[in-house]
Amino acid sequence: MIRRSFVSSLAALLLLLIAPQAARAAEPAAAKPAKGKPGAEQVRFERLLERSTRERFAANPSLATYLGVHDFDTQLENTSKASVEAQAAAMRRALDELGTIDKAKLDADGRIDYDLFASDLKGRLFRATEVKEWEKDPGAYGYGWSIDNLIARNFAPPKTRLRAVIARLRQVPRQFDNGRANVKNPAELLARFSAEDLEGLVAYLDNDVPHAFPTVKDKALWKEYDAAKLEAQKATRAYVKWIREDLLPNAHGTYVLGEDAFRKRLLYEEMIDLPIDSLLSIGMRELYRLEARYEDAAARVAPG
């Protein structure tokens, strides 16, 4: 069972959820505090938390890799409309089940986790069903982060990680098909930036990925990589062409959230419920304070 307090951030919540047994095994036996048997509500909550997080990682393999969970390293996101709707349904079920758990019967850590988990679920559900970035940002279907998570850290032997790179590259055409089917009327700025950003992946696959595996000498494996790379590059070029020729001429959407959506994101993602005017006042005060410090530093570093 999960026995953690995640007070720093929702990212910490996700990071610590998946491998509690391994973390506890690494603790010296003498350092483990004696604890009584958790109550029924505590057990229900921890099982829900673990199951829901596992579902999230299965639907977001790149996030799992980034957070050190390597059960899904050979998978790439499948951001089809049906998949997004299935994830939203799973979040609603989790929220419904969470609502049946008596928070007052949880331990101190559990009560903190309860609030964080509820806020995280509401935030992700809001983004999936109301903000709908998957319909507005063609760059959301890129795969650079997915590959970089596999090459930037030595969490497994190089050949194992290269095989995972190959597996993910083979799924790139499917993900771009999802983008073509889903994205409608993005903001022009987002469309232009996405095309430029995705175009850079072609050279990234030619240069950065091979340089990350200098010790891999398996010619057959590199042949597999080259084949997967060429298909991914072909799909990338075609998607960029589609953005520029088909999407951009009709890109009249906006990236502006609006006050209501902005307030909800602040509430769900940061647990901030201050009025917008108060936030703006705080931000402007900080801006002026820091500008004065920048000017002072610049005058000392390079007078005049």
Side-chain angles (χ1 to χ4, degrees):
M1 287 297 171
I2 299 166
R3 305 289 295 171
R4 297 285 177 180
S5 178
F6 315 115
V7 296
S8 59
S9 68
L10 293 176
L13 167 68
L14 292 170
L15 179 62
L16 296 173
L17 278 177
I18 292 303
Q21 294 85 357
R24 287 198 297 271
E27 297 173 356
K32 295 180 181 178
K35 290 186 178 181
K37 185 177 179 181
E41 293 295 85
Q42 187 75 31
V43 171
R44 285 183 63 211
F45 172 65
E46 291 177 351
R47 286 176 177 169
L48 169 62
L49 193 60
E50 193 161 355
R51 184 175 70 250
S52 181
T53 305
R54 194 79 183 171
E55 289 174 350
R56 182 179 184 183
F57 285 154
N60 298 272
S62 301
L63 176 66
T65 302
Y66 174 72
L67 292 175
V69 178
H70 298 294
D71 298 347
F72 311 99
D73 285 347
T74 60
Q75 300 301 311
L76 185 67
E77 285 69 31
N78 182 13
T79 316
S80 65
K81 183 179 180 180
S83 176
V84 173
E85 290 174 346
Q87 292 177 59
M91 286 183 271
R92 289 190 184 97
R93 287 194 300 270
L95 276 169
D96 288 343
E97 185 174 346
L98 187 64
T100 69
I101 295 173
D102 188 348
K103 175 182 167 183
K105 293 182 179 179
L106 304 180
D107 63 20
D109 288 350
R111 291 192 294 274
I112 295 172
D113 297 344
Y114 184 103
D115 289 340
L116 288 171
F117 184 47
S119 186
D120 179 57
L121 284 170
K122 291 174 184 176
R124 289 192 288 119
L125 184 60
F126 173 70
R127 292 178 70 167
T129 61
E130 295 188 50
V131 178
K132 294 186 177 180
E133 292 159 333
W134 54 279
E135 284 189 345
K136 299 176 181 178
D137 183 5
Y141 297 84
Y143 55 91
W145 188 58
S146 301
I147 303 302
D148 200 54
N149 289 337
L150 295 169
I151 73 175
R153 304 178 204 163
N154 296 319
F155 61 83
K159 288 178 73 171
T160 300
R161 291 184 289 118
L162 181 55
R163 288 191 183 98
V165 169
I166 293 167
R168 283 187 172 173
L169 287 179
R170 287 171 176 161
Q171 298 163 69
V172 165
R174 178 204 65 197
Q175 183 69 326
F176 283 148
D177 286 342
N178 289 330
R180 288 188 188 88
N182 293 340
V183 179
K184 302 172 181 65
N185 194 31
E188 180 183 356
L189 182 64
L190 278 180
R192 290 190 184 279
F193 177 79
S194 296
E196 294 171 5
D197 185 50
L198 291 168
E199 203 167 39
L201 288 174
V202 174
Y204 173 80
L205 295 181
D206 282 333
N207 302 316
D208 296 68
V209 176
H211 289 163
F213 299 105
T215 61
V216 177
K217 307 300 182 183
D218 188 330
K219 292 182 179 180
L221 190 59
W222 279 116
K223 187 175 180 180
E224 287 185 46
Y225 172 76
D226 287 338
K229 176 194 75 171
L230 289 173
E231 287 301 310
Q233 288 174 326
K234 179 182 176 181
T236 303
R237 291 188 182 99
Y239 188 68
V240 169
K241 184 174 185 288
W242 171 75
I243 292 174
R244 288 185 168 142
E245 295 183 2
D246 295 352
L247 204 57
L248 256 175
N250 301 300
H252 306 302
T254 179
Y255 54 81
V256 176
L257 285 174
E259 182 175 339
D260 182 61
F262 182 63
R263 286 172 61 94
K264 286 179 180 177
R265 284 194 64 171
L266 280 175
L267 178 62
Y268 297 145
E269 296 177 18
E270 307 293 340
M271 293 186 170
I272 293 173
D273 58 0
L274 289 174
I276 296 296
D277 289 346
S278 297
L279 287 170
L280 180 60
S281 177
I282 292 169
M284 295 305 296
R285 184 177 69 233
E286 281 298 286
L287 177 63
Y288 295 142
R289 182 181 71 85
L290 293 174
E291 279 182 341
R293 293 186 64 185
Y294 293 149
E295 289 172 2
D296 177 67
R300 285 184 282 116
V301 172

